[in-house]
């Protein structure tokens, strides 16, 4: 992974075997970024997509493997009260299986780069966004302090 700050935005290039979410959080740690939004594209080889099931309060995970074209990545990073960083990320992948094109998307738990991923990370300016735990769903939401 390599990255540069240009203006107020960080441009991150990820390389083979980099894990995208971990790399984004790593840049946020290194650069002391408490909250941000990000987007990106790339080529991946493995992903774990999730969907939240309200009736059980759990996430259902679907693994994907093979040549996965990351056509859309959108998410945010926020800080908990203790400074821990959390992400909320959605992704859309296209792929080819048995001669047919497929599409899969949802909440992204993790994805590993096959050849590259290009991410634009935009820190919040003039303040930060925190995280508030919601006991009803067992997940966190934005908390404007």
């Amino acid at each position: 992974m390599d990255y540069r700050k240009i203006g107020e935005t960080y441009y991150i290039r990820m390389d083979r075997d980099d894990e995208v979410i971990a790399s984004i959080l790593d840049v946020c740690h290194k650069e002391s970024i408490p909250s941000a939004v990000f987007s990106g594209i790339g080529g991946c080889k493995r992903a774990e997509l999730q969907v939240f099931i309200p009736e059980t309060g759990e996430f259902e995970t679907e693994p994907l493997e093979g040549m996965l074209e990351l056509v859309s990545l959108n998410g945010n990073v926020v800080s908990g009260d203790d400074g821990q960083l959390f992400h909320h990320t959605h992704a859309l992948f296209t792929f080819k299986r048995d001669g047919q094109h497929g599409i899969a998307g949802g909440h992204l738990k993790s994805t590993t780069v096959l050849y590259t991923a290009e991410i634009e990370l935009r820190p919040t300016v003039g303040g930060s966004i925190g995280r508030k735990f919601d006991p009803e769903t067992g997940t966190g939401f934005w908390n404007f302090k």
Side-chain angles (χ1 to χ4, degrees), residues 57-135:
E58 309 253 333
F59 280 95
E60 204 172 86
T61 302
E62 178 72 28
L64 295 173
E65 301 241 355
M67 175 55 225
L68 307 171
E69 197 67 45
L70 176 58
V71 297
S72 180
L73 176 77
N74 292 286
N76 63 66
V77 175
V78 297
S79 299
D81 289 338
D82 61 357
Q84 180 180 356
L85 296 177
F86 295 90
H87 77 95
H88 184 188
T89 308
H90 288 198
L92 183 65
F93 295 92
T94 62
F95 52 88
K96 192 166 184 180
R97 297 274 189 286
D98 302 321
Q100 299 291 316
H101 288 277
I103 299 172
H107 179 83
L108 183 66
K109 182 178 178 184
S110 68
T111 189
T112 304
V113 174
L114 174 61
Y115 57 89
T116 193
E118 299 164 341
I119 310 298
E120 180 180 1
L121 176 71
R122 297 171 305 282
T124 53
V125 176
S128 66
I129 301 170
R131 181 178 188 260
K132 141 178 120 165
F133 182 75
D134 177 44

